[in-house]
Amino acid sequence: MNTPRHAIRSYVLRAGRITRAQRRALDELLPRWGVPYSPAPLDLAAVFGRTAPCVLEIGFGDGDTLVELAAASPQSDFLGVEVHPPGVGHCLLAIESRQLTNLRVIAHDAVEVLGNQLPPSSLDEVLLYFPDPWPKTRHHKRRIVQPAFTALVATRLKHGGAFRLATDWEPYAEWMIEILNAAPGLVNAAPGGGFIERPDRGATRFENRGRRLGHRVFDLEYRRT
Ligand SMILES: C[S@@+](CC[C@H](N)C(=O)[O-])C[C@H]1O[C@@H](n2cnc3c(N)ncnc32)[C@H](O)[C@@H]1O
C-alpha cells in the first residue's frame, strides 16, 4: 500500500541560485548516477549490481560528507536523498569526478522515498544530519522528525540497523529525544537514553556553520530492535 501524499513538507523549494555546472549535472549526470523516484519498491541489488550493506542519507545538502563516506567505505552502498537542485547537482559532479560506483542519488522528498520506494527491512543505516530545525513554534509541524516519520524509518531498517542523527539546534535535539525515545521499534543506543559522544563522522556544511555561530552539536543513535 502506498503512503498517502503528505501535505506538510519539511522543506520549501525556493528558486535559488544554481551554477551552470550544477544545471548540466542535473541534465546529464542524474540519468547516470540518479535513481528516478517511483512509488514502486526498489530492487537495491539491481541498482548497485551487488548485495551489500546499504546506507541512506536523508537531506545530504551539498553531498560532500556523503561522497567522502562512500569513497571511504567501498564495501557498502549509499543512497542519498535530497530535494535541493543545486545540492543534487553539486553531489553529482563529485560522484562523476570520483567515479563512485557505490553511491546513487534520488532527487525527491525523502518521506515519499521511504514510504513508497524503499522496501521494509532494506537499510543498514539511516543518516539524518542537521535537518532544518524550523525554530518557530508555528513551523514545528514541518520538522521532519515526527512520530509517523520515525515509525517509518524503523520499518525500513533491518533489525540491528542504526538511525543516526545530529543537530546544532538544542530545542530540536530535545524534540528528537522525546519523539525517538517513544518510537516503536527503536532503542536509544546511549547508555542513559540521551545523546551520544560525537562519533567519528565528517563535519557537514551545516555543522560547520552551527559551530561558527557557537552552537553545541548533539548526536543521537538509535538501533532497530
Ligand atoms: C539544513 S540542511 C542540512 C544539509 C546537510 N545534511 C548538512 O548537514 O550540511 C537540510 C537539508 O535537508 C533537505 N531536506 C529537507 N527536507 C527534505 C525531505 N523531505 N527530503 C529530502 N531532503 C530534504 C533540504 O533540502 C536541505 O538541503
Side-chain angles (χ1 to χ4, degrees):
M1 194 182 80
N2 288 348
T3 307
R5 276 183 75 81
H6 57 287
I8 302 169
R9 298 193 180 275
S10 56
Y11 57 90
V12 175
L13 278 186
R14 299 196 175 85
R17 275 186 318 179
I18 183 161
T19 67
R20 283 174 64 170
Q22 289 164 353
R23 169 55 53 206
R24 182 190 66 79
L26 291 175
D27 292 342
E28 294 175 13
L29 303 182
L30 196 55
R32 171 147 182 224
W33 306 101
V35 177
Y37 171 72
S38 157
L42 194 60
D43 180 349
L44 289 170
V47 168
F48 292 103
R50 65 174 183 174
T51 301
C54 188
V55 180
L56 171 77
E57 181 169 9
I58 295 171
F60 58 70
D62 63 15
D64 283 351
T65 316
L66 181 58
V67 164
E68 290 304 329
L69 191 57
S73 316
Q75 74 288 353
S76 294
D77 291 327
F78 293 83
L79 266 180
V81 183
E82 174 59 62
V83 287
H84 187 53
V88 173
H90 184 98
C91 185
L92 288 167
L93 290 168
I95 298 173
E96 169 83 351
S97 77
R98 309 274 287 258
Q99 289 291 302
L100 293 175
T101 57
N102 63 334
L103 172 54
R104 292 284 186 280
V105 171
I106 304 179
H108 196 79
D109 183 340
V111 179
E112 292 190 0
V113 171
L114 272 171
N116 301 327
Q117 193 167 19
L118 293 172
S121 304
S122 57
L123 302 171
D124 293 80
E125 291 186 35
V126 175
L127 313 178
L128 180 62
Y129 293 147
F130 304 89
D132 299 290
W134 292 106
K136 292 179 182 159
T137 306
R138 70 173 190 279
H139 288 150
H140 285 178
K141 57 182 181 289
R142 287 189 173 274
R143 288 177 170 171
I144 195 165
V145 175
Q146 304 285 348
F149 171 78
T150 53
L152 182 57
V153 170
T155 64
R156 271 44 191 168
L157 280 169
K158 295 176 187 166
H159 293 288
F163 185 19
R164 305 181 197 281
L165 308 92
T167 181
D168 65 323
W169 189 249
E170 188 163 4
Y172 198 13
E174 300 293 346
W175 168 287
M176 287 175 177
I177 285 273
E178 192 178 323
I179 290 176
L180 282 152
N181 281 5
L186 292 176
V187 174
N188 191 321
F195 303 106
I196 57 164
E197 293 282 314
R198 188 189 188 287
D200 185 18
R201 54 169 179 74
T204 73
R205 190 163 163 237
F206 272 79
E207 175 168 17
N208 290 332
R209 177 180 166 276
R211 287 198 189 279
R212 279 197 303 276
L213 293 169
H215 296 177
R216 183 180 156 198
V217 169
F218 302 85
D219 275 271
L220 299 84
E221 180 181 332
Y222 286 80
R223 290 277 163 182
R224 171 79 165 98
T225 53

